Amino acid sequence: MMELKKKDETYNWLRKKNRLYEDQLNHLRKYKVTFQNQLSICFPGYLDLFKDGYSDIPMTILKKYPHPDLLKNKKAETVARYLEKNTCHTHKVSLEYALKIIGFAKKTYPGCEKDDVEVEIFKILLDKVIETQRECEKTLNEMITVASTLEEYRYISSIDGIGPNLAARIIAEIGDIEEFKSREALVAYAGLDPHIYQSGDQDGKHLKISKKGNKYLRCLLFLAVGCSIRGAKDNPMNRFYQKKKQQSNPLNSKAAKTACTAKLLKIIYGICKNKTTYKR
């Protein structure tokens, strides 16, 4: 009984943490919009230099050099040493980025001077983005640590397109899968059960779902399907997606992804009930 209570408390904790994480992500998105608007004044075009403009190197540079005039006359070696000291990158990688960023700083035309109030505002927004990113990472890592102690974590994370992040969050929203007596009950819980059509209403262009269930779980499953479809072309989910788009009554892309999402949830139910990892 005590073990069952502890397990319930774990699922409850995970769900609360996931809702906190969702809230943190929403704040981060809002900060990023304001941050990007201010960046376009202080250091226009800067984020385009990077695959991920919010990773450690671009953020570390902006922390010290929030305006191109503060950077363009610096020696590449000086900037490289700063990067090497404040990130996990080697001197070689740091020097490559230093040369690239300094070269860009010499060519860009900011909409303000380095001592203007816009730069001070930008620095405040930058700190907000960095702080909120760290909060998101902390919450997510805590969730993954706890979720990984549950046996279903191994089963769910074995599915194509589902990494530690999604596995932990999906478990948080499903809770104890043993409480669902059938896969149809789990699908209905996520709001992915088909909407009841009037005769002749279904034309194949849309796959209407009830959307009465757990919207957080539904969104996570859509993310997982998207990752799987963008991945290897020969994975089962991608083949199922293509099949739905090419059947005699073809579904459009959105409807096909909806069908994939319901299928994914049924797979999750099956492997967790059978206590096995996913096999292609």
Side-chain angles (χ1 to χ4, degrees):
M1 183 67 72
M2 286 296 293
E3 186 178 341
L4 196 62
K5 184 179 178 182
K6 186 177 179 182
K7 199 173 182 183
D8 288 340
E9 287 173 353
T10 300
Y11 290 124
N12 188 41
W13 182 91
L14 281 170
R15 180 167 297 182
K16 287 179 179 178
K17 279 289 183 177
N18 190 52
R19 301 298 169 84
L20 171 63
Y21 182 66
E22 287 281 352
D23 190 52
Q24 289 171 335
L25 283 179
N26 285 332
H27 280 93
L28 181 57
R29 292 184 192 106
K30 291 174 183 176
Y31 286 139
K32 280 183 175 180
V33 170
T34 313
F35 165 79
Q36 288 176 9
N37 289 338
Q38 200 67 18
L39 180 63
S40 66
I41 298 170
C42 300
F43 211 142
Y46 177 78
L47 292 185
D48 296 336
L49 293 174
F50 311 94
K51 186 176 181 181
D52 178 5
Y54 293 94
S55 57
D56 56 352
I57 284 182
M59 292 287 104
T60 301
I61 287 289
L62 287 176
K63 189 81 175 168
K64 189 173 181 66
Y65 308 107
H67 191 281
D69 287 353
L70 299 171
L71 184 61
K72 63 185 180 183
N73 294 321
K74 292 290 181 181
K75 291 181 180 179
E77 192 66 33
T78 302
V79 177
R81 282 199 299 269
Y82 167 72
L83 282 174
E84 190 179 4
K85 181 181 178 181
N86 292 280
T87 69
C88 60
H89 297 281
T90 64
H91 183 74
K92 181 181 178 182
V93 172
S94 298
L95 185 58
E96 288 174 359
Y97 274 103
L99 289 166
K100 182 179 180 180
I101 295 166
I102 292 170
F104 178 77
K106 292 177 179 179
K107 294 187 295 184
T108 192
Y109 295 96
C112 64
E113 299 297 325
K114 63 182 180 182
D115 298 321
D116 285 352
V117 68
E118 282 85 358
V119 176
E120 293 303 314
I121 294 170
F122 172 69
K123 287 162 69 176
I124 293 169
L125 292 169
L126 174 63
D127 287 340
K128 282 286 186 183
V129 169
I130 292 173
E131 178 188 354
T132 311
Q133 280 188 154
R134 286 174 179 163
E135 289 174 355
C136 288
E137 288 169 7
K138 181 176 180 289
T139 302
L140 184 58
N141 288 334
E142 288 174 349
M143 288 176 61
I144 292 170
T145 299
V146 172
S148 63
T149 65
L150 300 168
E151 60 178 342
E152 59 263 44
Y153 177 84
R154 182 166 65 91
Y155 311 141
I156 294 173
S157 60
S158 70
I159 300 173
D160 293 319
I162 299 182
N165 175 337
L166 282 175
R169 297 179 67 198
I170 287 170
I171 290 170
E173 292 304 328
I174 290 177
D176 188 356
I177 205 163
E178 295 296 329
E179 293 186 1
F180 297 94
K181 294 183 178 180
S182 68
R183 62 182 191 176
E184 287 74 21
L186 181 56
V187 169
Y189 170 73
L192 289 167
D193 49 324
H195 184 76
I196 298 174
Y197 288 92
Q198 297 295 325
S199 178
D201 281 354
Q202 191 170 3
D203 60 3
K205 293 181 180 179
H206 303 283
L207 182 61
K208 294 184 179 179
I209 54 177
S210 69
K211 293 187 179 180
K212 291 181 179 179
N214 186 320
K215 66 178 182 180
Y216 299 99
L217 176 57
R218 199 162 57 243
C219 289
L220 291 170
L221 294 168
F222 270 105
L223 277 174
V225 164
C227 291
S228 185
I229 289 172
R230 289 193 300 271
K233 290 185 178 180
D234 63 340
N235 74 58
M237 192 58 68
N238 206 327
R239 289 198 295 269
F240 183 77
Y241 172 71
Q242 297 301 332
K243 178 183 175 182
K244 286 296 177 182
K245 289 181 68 179
Q246 296 167 12
Q247 62 189 16
S248 57
N249 183 21
L251 299 178
N252 65 17
S253 179
K254 184 178 179 181
K257 285 179 181 176
T258 300
C260 288
T261 304
K263 181 177 177 65
L264 173 60
L265 194 50
K266 291 174 183 177
I267 290 171
I268 289 172
Y269 181 85
I271 62 175
C272 289
K273 283 287 188 177
N274 294 320
K275 301 185 184 305
T276 182
T277 54
Y278 179 66
K279 296 178 177 61
R280 288 188 173 195

